[in-house]
Amino acid sequence: MEIRKIGIVGAGQMGNGIAHVMTLAGYEVLLTDISQDAIDAAMEIMRRNMERQVSRDKITQAEMDDGLGRIGTTLTLTDLGQTDLVIEAATERETVKQAIFEDLLPHLKPDTILTSNTSSISITRLASRTDRPEKFMGFHFMNPVPVMQLVELIRGIATDKPTYDACLGVVERLGKTAASAEDFPGFIVNRILMPMINEAVYTLYEGVGNVKSIDESMKLGANHPMGPLELADFIGLDTCLAIMNVLHEGLADTKYRPCPLLTKYVEAGWLGRKAGRGFYDYRGETPVPTR
């Protein structure tokens, strides 16, 4: 099917990034959230990010103006019923995602494709709670969406080929690269990345190194652009912990056991950059290691 209009659920960091790239690729976008403040903030973030792209000659001023003009917003979830493709980018909690799809179902066109930007939750299980498991799949963008080139496309057990091909076509139109993943916990990126981050936290927990030495070791010794603890702060320690719990529970292997120190930071509310503190303290002019 031809996809022209895309509905995006959630105006947070991922949702506004997805809206940004979709509208610049020429799609009509309808963005929804439960908070008008979140929608207003998302529109301002997109405007600032596009202005930065204009200043770097990545896009023209006309492309920016046209793109922003193709974005509609609404506080009413069911307004997304007439879109061709829905991308859910809400909080990484399965009950929240299920409730969103259940509310949407009675209002959808018969051929609307449903997708989730989940980073770890079972696509098959989410799809089974809808009336169209064959038209449901995972559409996992990387953060920050306008910059990162990869999109994981995850088929549930029932996802049909036309649905996969339609989503692949969207990725190609965005100028991004699709990685096809099977529906197992963590998919590809987080199945590999999160245990590495968790192991870095264990290395800190056991006193093998401090925050600075661990991050410098991986940046200078493995040529990583960002150390694992710095990256964890960027992602959000609550998100890292949630994905580790999904891996641990879904694969039943002790190698995925979340580090107790990661749990302690989350319990303290030290969630990384977004909270002002994580493995680094961001409240001053420059980040300072907290251990």
Side-chain angles (χ1 to χ4, degrees):
M1 64 171 290
E2 186 179 1
I3 293 173
R4 295 179 180 176
K5 189 166 187 177
I6 295 175
I8 299 171
V9 183
Q13 191 173 38
M14 297 305 295
N16 76 62
I18 296 168
H20 177 133
V21 298
M22 290 297 181
T23 190
L24 288 181
Y27 292 106
E28 282 186 68
V29 174
L30 185 56
L31 178 65
T32 187
D33 199 282
I34 57 173
S35 161
Q36 185 63 49
D37 287 346
I39 288 175
D40 293 343
M43 293 302 297
E44 180 58 29
I45 289 167
M46 280 187 273
R47 182 180 299 280
R48 288 202 309 267
N49 287 342
M50 287 186 194
E51 285 172 347
R52 191 176 298 116
Q53 287 179 299
V54 171
S55 71
R56 295 174 179 173
D57 295 323
K58 301 288 187 183
I59 62 173
T60 65
Q61 184 65 48
E63 286 171 330
M64 171 180 163
D65 294 340
D66 289 347
L68 289 173
R70 278 190 292 269
I71 301 175
T73 64
T74 180
L75 292 173
T76 306
L77 176 66
T78 54
D79 287 349
L80 272 59
Q82 295 307 301
T83 58
D84 304 313
L85 167 67
V86 173
I87 303 173
E88 170 275 313
T91 304
E92 188 71 352
R93 292 212 309 273
E94 189 165 348
T95 53
V96 172
K97 296 179 186 297
Q98 285 176 347
I100 287 167
F101 291 124
E102 285 170 9
D103 288 346
L104 265 176
L105 288 178
H107 305 275
L108 295 175
K109 297 189 298 181
D111 56 353
T112 297
I113 293 173
L114 291 178
T115 68
S116 176
N117 183 58
T118 179
S119 55
S120 61
I121 296 169
S122 168
I123 298 302
T124 297
R125 198 162 61 237
L126 287 173
S128 72
R129 301 287 294 271
T130 74
D131 63 354
R132 60 194 69 202
E134 72 286 349
K135 290 188 176 296
F136 193 111
M137 65 182 297
F139 211 149
H140 182 213
F141 288 83
M142 307 294 128
N143 183 36
V145 179
V147 175
M148 301 296 279
Q149 289 301 301
L150 186 76
V151 181
E152 282 184 311
L153 293 180
I154 304 104
R155 294 181 235 217
I157 197 169
T159 306
D160 63 21
K161 190 174 187 300
T163 298
Y164 176 84
D165 289 344
C167 291
L168 178 60
V170 172
V171 176
E172 291 173 345
R173 183 164 160 181
L174 295 177
K176 295 187 183 294
T177 300
S180 181
E182 292 301 316
D183 183 26
F184 292 101
F187 316 133
I188 295 172
V189 172
N190 283 320
R191 174 76 176 265
I192 297 168
L193 175 64
M194 286 302 159
M196 184 197 76
I197 287 175
N198 194 52
E199 195 62 27
V201 182
Y202 266 114
T203 305
L204 178 65
Y205 175 64
E206 294 169 4
V208 179
N210 58 31
V211 169
K212 184 179 178 183
S213 65
I214 291 167
D215 277 351
E216 283 191 343
S217 293
M218 295 307 293
K219 283 192 284 189
L220 302 179
N223 206 28
H224 290 192
M226 192 181 292
L229 301 175
E230 182 185 2
L231 179 57
D233 275 356
F234 179 76
I235 294 167
L237 303 193
D238 50 342
T239 300
C240 294
L241 179 60
I243 296 170
M244 284 310 301
N245 280 325
V246 167
L247 290 172
H248 191 216
E249 293 161 12
L251 298 168
D253 192 322
T254 56
K255 73 180 180 180
Y256 299 113
R257 185 179 66 231
C259 179
L261 184 60
L262 178 60
T263 302
K264 183 180 288 188
Y265 269 72
V266 172
E267 288 174 345
W270 292 21
L271 307 180
R273 283 180 181 263
K274 62 187 176 185
R277 276 189 295 191
F279 293 114
Y280 292 84
D281 189 326
Y282 300 92
R283 295 173 299 174
E285 288 186 14
T286 57
V288 178
T290 53
R291 280 180 178 253

